[in-house]
Amino acid sequence: MVVSTVERSTEKRSARAWLMVAASMFAVAWGGNEFTPLLVMYRLDHGHSPVMVDFFLFAYVMGIVPALLLGGPLSDRLGRRPLMLPAPLIAIAGSTLLAFGADSAAVLILGRILCGIALGLGMAVGGSWLKELSTAPWDSAASDGAGARRAAMSLTAGFALGAGFAGVLAQWAPLPEALAYVLHIAITVAAGVALWRAPETREAQTMDTRRRLIDDLKIPAAGHRRFLYVVVPLAPWVFGAASVGYAVIPALMTGHSGDAPVAFSAFLCVVALTCGFAIQSLGRKIDTDLSARGAVVALVFLVIGMAGAALVASTLTVAVAVIAAAILGCGYGMALVSGLLEIQRIAGPDDLAGLTAVFYSITYIGFAVPAVLAMLSESVPALTYPLMLLFGSAAAAACLLVVLLKSRSHLPGA
């Protein structure tokens, strides 16, 4: 009887192991997005130009992409723990710099890059680790696709709550430039401690079996036609939609959102990401392995959402801004979870972390959208925001057409 009780207790702890990794993914995502609603503050209160402020948003991509492309394959080579355990520490270093660097563009950029490195490791390594902990023998009760949904929801919850708390604290609490980052540091310390208890799911390769690093960095599955025709047209819209919803629209609405522009920016972040989080819980029911239905649904939301953003730019109406952010959030959430599910079907066991890294690297191209729109708006006056956002809607429609044409083609295992 005692043995049976111990076994049940061990099984229960093992089934909850994914939560330890999910907590760190949540914490690094919080650190990645807490900066976003503060863009308005950095522009209004610290004198940074609109283009520079949008570059701050994009800067952490310079940390994310190398961490994604190197972290995933290296974790296949060395194990998940050695690559993921430093992520909370790097996130803490990034938030520390941001807390003290409000008036220095160089310090803000460096802090953002460090937060990007932490987030890149969380997405590529943490996502693969979480997926493996959501299967037997660690969690035999988990359903198919549970790892992708848990990863997407952990990230989205961190993105949403980080932005929401940062905006509220910066608008109404003391020390607006620093307090949000102090809160993030406290959360990340707790998550980092929990992460040390997570079990390893992939043993390090021995010297006898280890290939050259250059060979580990090759991702053959990235050439899969399903990846090229379904995932690639979808991926840039993940954060392209998100950045329009909670960076471009709040910037357009500055001066038209009452006397709390930072809080309104945070509110739009929370609206977009809450809608993204909610639709991810339906992702498994919408997605199917018989077609690209999940990607199609995501792109339909994105076509409508980008058109809604163009309407916001024309009317500068609070209600329209909230609705457009909600639709773009649904597009973001569905694009993220359906893309991850496609990746998990395409990738083999040795390609999962690497292909996940490639997918996320393409998604982060979308964070260049606000900076590109700001530069075009300043350099070519004829390119107004309504016109550029309508072009974005047309581009999303073109991607939708490609995915529809290839929806049932090149299915893995067919």
Side-chain angles (χ1 to χ4, degrees):
M1 190 63 162
V2 173
V3 173
S4 178
T5 302
V6 170
E7 288 176 348
R8 284 198 301 271
S9 176
T10 301
E11 289 174 2
K12 191 174 182 179
R13 287 198 303 273
S14 180
R16 291 199 302 261
W18 67 270
L19 285 168
M20 303 170 194
V21 178
S24 281
M25 293 179 67
F26 169 86
V28 296
W30 181 302
N33 207 40
E34 65 185 336
F35 188 88
T36 306
L38 307 186
L39 295 173
V40 174
M41 178 190 74
Y42 290 121
R43 189 173 76 249
L44 296 179
D45 299 340
H46 297 277
H48 298 291
S49 71
V51 173
M52 180 57 71
V53 164
D54 286 330
F55 182 74
F56 293 155
L57 180 67
F58 180 71
Y60 86 140
V61 177
M62 294 187 289
I64 288 172
V65 172
L68 285 169
L69 295 178
L70 291 172
L74 282 173
S75 74
D76 287 339
R77 181 186 183 93
L78 303 175
R80 308 303 184 206
R81 287 175 59 85
L83 272 295
M84 185 62 188
L85 289 178
L89 298 175
I90 298 170
I92 289 168
S95 276
T96 302
L97 286 175
L98 294 173
F100 293 99
D103 294 312
S104 170
V107 173
L108 289 176
I109 289 170
L110 180 57
R112 290 289 286 160
I113 290 172
L114 289 175
C115 288
I117 293 171
L119 182 56
L121 292 173
M123 294 176 109
V125 183
S128 299
W129 198 0
L130 183 54
K131 187 265 182 184
E132 290 159 354
L133 287 171
S134 299
T135 59
W138 293 279
D139 189 356
S140 301
S143 61
D144 292 341
R149 292 194 305 278
R150 288 168 174 175
M153 294 175 77
S154 299
L155 292 169
T156 302
F159 289 147
L161 292 175
F165 275 91
V168 169
L169 293 174
Q171 186 71 66
W172 291 298
L175 301 174
E177 296 88 356
L179 194 56
Y181 300 115
V182 172
L183 175 61
H184 172 246
I185 290 169
I187 290 169
T188 308
V189 168
V193 170
L195 186 65
W196 279 89
R197 300 179 59 196
E200 179 63 86
T201 56
R202 187 176 180 92
E203 295 298 328
Q205 298 172 4
T206 65
M207 294 300 295
D208 293 336
T209 61
R210 186 177 295 176
R211 302 182 302 172
R212 295 181 305 163
L213 179 58
I214 189 65
D215 294 328
D216 283 341
L217 295 177
K218 296 175 181 177
I219 315 295
H224 194 288
R225 291 188 177 183
R226 183 75 175 176
F227 182 81
L228 298 175
Y229 294 134
V230 173
V231 177
V232 170
L234 175 69
W237 291 104
V238 173
F239 292 114
S243 65
V244 169
Y246 55 62
V248 174
I249 292 178
L252 293 172
M253 291 298 296
T254 302
H256 300 271
S257 52
D259 57 358
V262 178
F264 183 71
S265 177
F267 175 67
L268 289 184
C269 284
V270 173
V271 166
L273 292 166
T274 299
C275 291
F277 184 88
I279 202 168
Q280 285 169 8
S281 65
L282 300 174
R284 182 169 175 266
K285 295 179 181 178
I286 296 172
D287 187 84
T288 173
D289 58 4
L290 300 177
S291 71
R293 186 170 65 192
V296 168
V297 170
L299 286 164
V300 168
F301 275 116
L302 291 163
V303 171
I304 299 169
M306 292 299 290
L311 184 60
V312 173
S314 298
T315 63
L316 299 176
T317 305
V318 169
V320 178
V322 173
I323 293 169
I327 296 170
L328 286 167
C330 289
Y332 150 80
M334 196 62 219
L336 179 58
V337 75
S338 61
L340 287 171
L341 288 167
E342 288 282 355
I343 290 299
Q344 292 190 8
R345 286 192 285 265
I346 294 169
D350 293 330
D351 268 349
L352 177 61
L355 194 61
T356 301
V358 174
F359 168 69
Y360 278 131
S361 297
I362 300 172
T363 67
Y364 272 100
I365 293 172
F367 266 114
V369 169
V372 170
L373 295 182
M375 287 187 291
L376 288 175
S377 179
E378 286 191 0
S379 58
V380 187
L383 292 177
T384 62
Y385 270 91
L387 182 61
M388 291 187 290
L389 291 167
L390 277 177
F391 177 79
S393 180
C399 293
L400 172 60
L401 180 60
V402 172
V403 173
L404 278 171
L405 291 173
K406 297 294 183 179
S407 179
R408 298 180 183 275
S409 301
H410 314 298
L411 295 168

